[in-house]
């Protein structure tokens, strides 16, 4: 949930009013109470929309930060006075960037200031505000360990306060720590900090402190706790203000509890009644009404949009004039609601705001965000139309606050990211041109660049890869002001690596590795955002694996070795995960070499060892098991089907025991079934159909579509019967096809629609029937019936493979003579008429009919030697429908 900036500002002001005169003198501390242990599992980070985060500042204030962190150039005691004098401003500037890297930089600067103070540098006087600024940087950073890092700042302060009593922690610092835990979604730790404040015997709790915790509840939807804390405030004779009540309304807005919107409106009504009676000084404001309207929208209940519109009207009736923030808050809730046709509804409100003169850039950006998340086929174009409209309106009337900014462009670029990478690239260049023309509000940032690079990578062609590399080099080498908000990150380099890896060019992997080396050089030069991550290593390994060459897969494994070594040495950013191991396993499993299974299994065992050694991210999953299945199936071993089936049953047993990550799916079952089909063993059909029966049993028992056989599964079972040399296999194959049709027509298996391939597999099973004349006659009848069914069915039509299989059935199952000849002639004529003749059909016909019969059939199309050879024109006509 986004807390309005004014509300946050008010919270901070209210918590500092009593500190403005002498913020050091008012507090004492009890280290045993305040510095409780923070040895806890880092909670999940609270993610806000990435487009709402301010640009990273990897290059922020370099002249001011460099002396404070560069010990080589500026040893202890040699810092210029200007760096020390500006240190507070520098820390506050870093906090405003909302960047984890800059929060870490702020911590480094604080440590340098502490070291300077310890050496007796008279120019530095550490104050609580230094520590508060660093804690604030972590609170705003969205780092997954922000709360832990903010607590470390407090711990450092408490240690120093043992020698300097003026460094007693104050309310501002504690509130920053509460916000840090809140942004992570760890309300329990936010409460813990508040409890520590209350436990301090000399610290009186004020309304701002309560509001800080209420904001934490609001952010995470803890509505019941928020109401309980409000009651506690009242009992403590602390009168809640409008911020307090709005936090309560926001907590219901974020709540998933049934009836949350109704409860929020009930509180709103109570606020109004109490104000009207004079029993409360708190009058609902525009934010109050917008929170309740947003609560209805988030509820997704029927009529929610109508309720929201009603509340907007009610706000106006109660004296909350048509207000930009009020409407923007409703637009934001609508854009994030996931309701159908939400973008169109949001755009309707936007145009109403235009008519009322209360629209601004944020309004447009919010509706563009709605189009970004829309599944409308023209969503990207609609978003761009709004961008164009903003530019036109702002050009016509410069007093309108509707000029596009970096977030506008970035959102529109995001809309095109999955559909038109070159349009995204064009928009990025348009931003740069506008910036160079003097519009500093549209400077691209790191997010903008990374979206475009990722879009180009997804194209999977060499042109896109080269364009991505050009962009990377331009932003890396550029010194112009319009690129200063871009800090090349690991994600930037990784996208370009990915672009080359997907291009499938002969030198793609080599180019990818060169870019990886550039990333490492960028990191070594001081750009900490460019530090390679596990994803960077994974993408590079995948580029080498995609070549399908032994030496390159071996090189990918060497990269994996390096990841393991660096992780063991303490570099947790490159901790190998299940994807890392699965990439290399996939590479070995696809190679047709004798050692493929052994090498795949070795990597799998390393992954298991890593997982058992404490690396939770290396837990084997379905994909890693599927790679192992691939290697087993393709190993060429005589017992491959048995081993593959044993592995499949091991996966299922592990799944039943609680490991959901290895739940076998249709792909895994089909791989094993296909292994039996390719084995040609006498029991192949029986084993394949038994696995099919197991899948259907699991599907019925668990009502889980992941166990449902698909088209490939059914065809593989039929094919297993076709290739097994057992009596009655044609009947068994046809019975499987009939089951497939019955299940599909019952509407329980819409993804397993019978197709030409399945029918053809039955004909092929009949064509190679074994047994006496009676068995062969029965098999031919099955082949003929199946051919006719396919010809007349809604599931497909005979293709060139079907005709080849049926002519083979004629050759193998009809005794040589006039009946076989005439049957093949009739079928071949139909095949020519339907345009399904290819070389395989022609060769099969030539193996059945004599040259004289062929010439008679096709009116003597023989060459000079009397051998039947159709002309190119004839083959083009006869094969016109062959795919």
């Amino acid at each position: 949930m986004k807390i309005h900036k004014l509300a946050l500002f008010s919270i901070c002001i209210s918590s500092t009013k009593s500190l403005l005169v002498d913020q050091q003198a008012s507090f004492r501390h009890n280290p045993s109470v305040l510095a409780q242990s923070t040895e806890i599992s880092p909670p999940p980070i609270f993610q806000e929309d990435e487009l709402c985060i301010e640009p990273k500042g990897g290059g922020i204030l370099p002249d001011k930060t460099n002396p404070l962190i560069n010990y080589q150039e500026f040893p202890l005691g040699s810092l210029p006075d200007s760096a020390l004098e500006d240190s507070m401003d520098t820390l506050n500037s870093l906090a405003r960037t909302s960047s984890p890297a800059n929060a870490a930089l702020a911590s480094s600067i604080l440590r340098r200031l502490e070291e300077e103070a310890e050496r007796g540098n008279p120019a530095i006087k550490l104050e609580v505000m230094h520590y508060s600024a660093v804690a604030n940087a972590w609170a705003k950073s969205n780092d997954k360990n922000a709360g832990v890092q903010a607590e470390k700042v407090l711990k450092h302060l408490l240690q120093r306060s043992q020698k300097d009593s003026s460094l007693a922690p104050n309310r501002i610092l504690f509130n920053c720590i509460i916000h840090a835990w809140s942004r992570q979604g760890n309300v329990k730790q936010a409460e813990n900090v508040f409890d520590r404040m209350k436990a301090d015997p000399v610290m009186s709790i004020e309304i701002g402190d309560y509001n800080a915790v209420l904001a934490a509840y609001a952010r995470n939807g803890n509505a019941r706790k928020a109401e309980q804390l409000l009651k506690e405030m009242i009992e403590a004779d602390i009168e809640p203000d409008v911020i307090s009540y709005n936090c309560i309304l926001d907590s219901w807005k974020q709540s998933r509890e049934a009836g949350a919107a109704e409860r929020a409106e009930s509180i709103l009504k109570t606020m109004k009644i109490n104000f009207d009676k004079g029993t409360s000084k708190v009058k609902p404001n525009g934010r109050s009404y917008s929170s309740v309207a947003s609560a209805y929208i988030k509820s997704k209940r029927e009529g929610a949009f109508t309720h929201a519109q009603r509340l907007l009207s009610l706000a106006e009736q109660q004296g909350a004039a048509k207000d930009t923030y009020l409407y923007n808050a409703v637009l934001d809730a609508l854009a994030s609601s996931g309701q159908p046709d939400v973008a169109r509804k949001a755009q309707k409100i936007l145009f109403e705001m235009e008519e009322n003169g209360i629209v601004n850039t944020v309004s447009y950006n919010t509706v563009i965000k709605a189009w970004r998340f829309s599944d409308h086929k023209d969503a990207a174009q609609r978003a761009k139309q709004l961008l164009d409209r903003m530019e036109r309106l702002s050009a016509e009337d410069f007093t309108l606050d509707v000029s596009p900014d970096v977030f506008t462009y970035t959102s529109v670029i995001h809309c095109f990211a999955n559909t038109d990478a070159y349009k995204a690239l064009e928009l990025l260049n348009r931003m740069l041109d506008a910036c160079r023309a003097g519009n500093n509000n549209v400077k691209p940032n790191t997010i903008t660049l990374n979206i475009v690079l990722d879009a180009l990578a997804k194209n999977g062609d060499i042109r896109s890869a080269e364009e991505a590399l050009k962009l990377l080099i331009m932003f890396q080498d550029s010194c112009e002001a319009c690129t200063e908000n871009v800090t090349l990150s690991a994600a930037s380099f990784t996208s370009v690596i990915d672009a080359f890896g997907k291009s499938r060019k002969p030198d793609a992997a080599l180019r990818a590795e060169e870019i990886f080396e550039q990333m490492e050089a960028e990191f070594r030069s001081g750009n900490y955002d460019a530090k390679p991550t596990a994803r960077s290593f994974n993408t590079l390994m995948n580029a080498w694996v995609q070549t399908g060459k032994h030496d390159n897969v071996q090189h990918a494994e060497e990269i994996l070795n390096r990841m393991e070594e660096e992780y063991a040495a303490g570099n947790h950013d490159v901790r190998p995960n299940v994807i890392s191991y699965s990439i290399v396993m996939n590479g070995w499993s696809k190679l047709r070499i004798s050692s493929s299974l052994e090498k795949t299994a070795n990597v799998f065992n390393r992954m298991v060892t890593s997982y058992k050694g404490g690396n939770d991210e290396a837990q084997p999953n379905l994909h890693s098991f599927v790679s192992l299945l691939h290697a087993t199936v393709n190993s060429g071993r005589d017992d491959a089907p048995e081993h593959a089936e044993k592995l499949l049953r091991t996966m299922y047993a592990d799944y039943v025991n609680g490991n959901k990550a290895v739940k076998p799916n249709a792909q895994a079952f089909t791989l094993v079934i296909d292994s039996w089909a390719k084995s040609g063993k006498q029991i192949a059909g029986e084993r394949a159909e038994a696995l099919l029966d197991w899948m259907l049993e699991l599907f019925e028992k668990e009502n889980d579509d992941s166990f449902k056989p698909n088209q490939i599964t059914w065809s593989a079972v039929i094919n297993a019967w076709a290739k097994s040399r057992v009596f009655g296999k044609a009947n068994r194959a046809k019975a499987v096809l009939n089951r497939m049709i019955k299940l599909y027509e019952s509407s329980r298996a819409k993804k397993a629609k019978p197709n030409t391939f399945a029918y053809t597999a039955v004909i092929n099973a009949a064509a190679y029937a074994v047994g006496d004349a009676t068995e062969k006659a029965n098999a031919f009848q099955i082949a003929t019936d199946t051919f006719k069914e396919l010809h007349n069915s809604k599931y497909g039509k005979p293709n060139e493979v079907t005709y080849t299989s049926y002519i083979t059935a004629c050759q193998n199952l009809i005794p040589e003579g006039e009946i076989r000849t005439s049957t093949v002639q009739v079928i071949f004529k139909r095949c020519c008429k339907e345009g399904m003749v290819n070389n395989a059909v022609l060769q099969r016909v030539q193996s059945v009919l004599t040259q004289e019969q062929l010439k008679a059939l096709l009116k003597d199309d023989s060459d000079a030697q009397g051998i039947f050879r159709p002309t190119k024109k004839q083959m083009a006509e006869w094969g016109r429908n062959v795919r």
Side-chain angles (χ1 to χ4, degrees), residues 628-682:
L628 194 55
L629 279 173
H630 263 296
T632 304
V633 168
N634 296 328
S635 66
R637 292 171 45 166
D638 186 60
D639 59 354
E642 287 86 353
H643 278 284
E645 184 170 336
K646 182 178 179 181
L647 181 58
L648 178 68
R649 294 185 181 278
T650 299
M651 290 170 64
Y652 181 73
D654 201 15
Y655 159 66
V656 170
N657 288 330
N659 186 1
K660 305 302 181 185
V662 298
K663 180 175 73 172
N665 61 3
Q667 180 191 12
F669 276 93
T670 303
L671 269 173
V672 181
I673 289 170
D674 194 50
S675 179
W676 279 112
K678 291 175 179 177
S679 72
K681 294 188 175 186
Q682 193 158 348

Side-chain angles (χ1 to χ4, degrees), residues 114 307 564 651 683 777 881:
E114 287 179 331
H307 278 291
E564 289 182 327
M651 290 170 64
I683 61 170
N881 293 323

